[in-house]
C-alpha cells in the first residue's frame, strides 16, 4: 500500500504549542480527518487538501475512514486535540487496525506527540505535576462508572496528584460532583483543587479552591 497515516495533536489551542513535526505532517497531507472543531484550528495549507469532519463520538468510525483513505494511496493526517495518545485518536486508530482489514497492518502509520491538556493546565499554575501524578477520564462512554470510581479511589489512597479529563458534559452533568464526593471520603478538605479553562490560550482562566469548597458546576460542560 502506497498511502500513509499520521496521527497528530493540535495542542491545547494556542498555535505556538503545535509542534513543528505536527505542522510538517499537516502541510504534507492530502487528507485531514478529525472532529470538526479541531479541524477548524488548522489553517489551509494546500488547495488540493481534503477535509473530512465528523462528530466527536464516532472515534472508531473516523479511524476506519482514515485507514481506508490511506489504503487507497492518500497521505492522511488524523487530527486530535492535545496529545493524540492521551484520551484521543491514536488509540482508536490502532484499535481499528487490530480489528479491521488485515491489509491496514502494512500501512505506514506513525504518531506525533503533542502537548496534552494537563500539561498546559499545570503550566498555568506552576508545577503541580512535578512529582507523582495520574490522569483519569470521568467519561463512562468506553468503561463503566464503577471502574472509574475504583481507579479514582485507588489514586486518592495512593496520594497521587490527579488530573481529571472529561470532567463533565451535557450528557454527564453529575459525574464530577460524584467524583468530589468520593474524594472527600479519602482526602483532606484542604486539598487544593484547580479548575483550568482554555489552558494554553489567551483566554485561560484558573479557579483555585479546596476539595471541601469545590463546586462541580464550575467545570465547563462540553456538548457531548
Amino acid at each position: 500500500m502506497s498511502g500513509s497515516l499520521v496521527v497528530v495533536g493540535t495542542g491545547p489551542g494556542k498555535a505556538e504549542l503545535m509542534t513543528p513535526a505536527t505542522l510538517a505532517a499537516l502541510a504534507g497531507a492530502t487528507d485531514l480527518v478529525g472532529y470538526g472543531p479541531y479541524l477548524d484550528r488548522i489553517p489551509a495549507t494546500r488547495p488540493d487538501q481534503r477535509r473530512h469532519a465528523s462528530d466527536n463520538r464516532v472515534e472508531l468510525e473516523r479511524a476506519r475512514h482514515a485507514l481506508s483513505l490511506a489504503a487507497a494511496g492518500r497521505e492522511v493526517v488524523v487530527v486530535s486535540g492535545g496529545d493524540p495518545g492521551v484520551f484521543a485518536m491514536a488509540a482508536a486508530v490502532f484499535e481499528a487496525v487490530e480489528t479491521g482489514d488485515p491489509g491496514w497492518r502494512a500501512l505506514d502509520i506513525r504518531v506525533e506527540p503533542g502537548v496534552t491538556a494537563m500539561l498546559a493546565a499545570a503550566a498555568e499554575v506552576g508545577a503541580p505535576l512535578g512529582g507523582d501524578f495520574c490522569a483519569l477520564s470521568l467519561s463512562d462512554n468506553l468503561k463503566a462508572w464503577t471502574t472509574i470510581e475504583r481507579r479514582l479511589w485507588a489514586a486518592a489512597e495512593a496520594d497521587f496528584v490527579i488530573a481529571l479529563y472529561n470532567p463533565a458534559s451535557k450528557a454527564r452533568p453529575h459525574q464530577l460532583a460524584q467524583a468530589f464526593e468520593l474524594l472527600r471520603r479519602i482526602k483532606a478538605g484542604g486539598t487544593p483543587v484547580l479548575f483550568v479553562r482554555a489552558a494554553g490560550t489567551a483566554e485561560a482562566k484558573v479557579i483555585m479552591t479546596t476539595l471541601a469548597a469545590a463546586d462541580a458546576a464550575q467545570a465547563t460542560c462540553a456538548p457531548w
Side-chain angles (χ1 to χ4, degrees), residues 134-151:
C134 69
L136 291 171
S137 171
L138 294 188
S139 172
D140 59 358
N141 289 333
L142 299 177
K143 57 185 179 289
W145 178 250
T146 53
T147 298
I148 296 170
E149 287 184 316
R150 186 171 68 251
R151 293 174 180 176

Side-chain angles (χ1 to χ4, degrees), residues 55-144:
D55 183 70
N56 193 57
R57 298 184 69 177
V58 292
E59 289 88 351
L60 198 55
E61 292 90 338
R62 183 184 305 136
R64 291 173 179 146
H65 179 51
L67 288 160
S68 296
L69 289 169
R74 309 291 290 179
E75 304 297 323
V76 182
V77 170
V78 176
V79 178
S80 295
D83 178 292
V86 180
F87 303 120
M89 280 301 299
V93 167
F94 288 109
E95 180 181 349
V97 170
E98 288 179 358
T99 59
D101 186 338
W104 289 346
R105 294 171 182 252
L107 286 167
D108 176 14
I109 302 173
R110 73 177 193 272
V111 179
E112 294 292 352
V115 179
T116 188
M118 67 180 176
L119 301 180
E124 294 289 347
V125 299
L129 305 181
D132 294 332
F133 67 90
C134 69
L136 291 171
S137 171
L138 294 188
S139 172
D140 59 358
N141 289 333
L142 299 177
K143 57 185 179 289

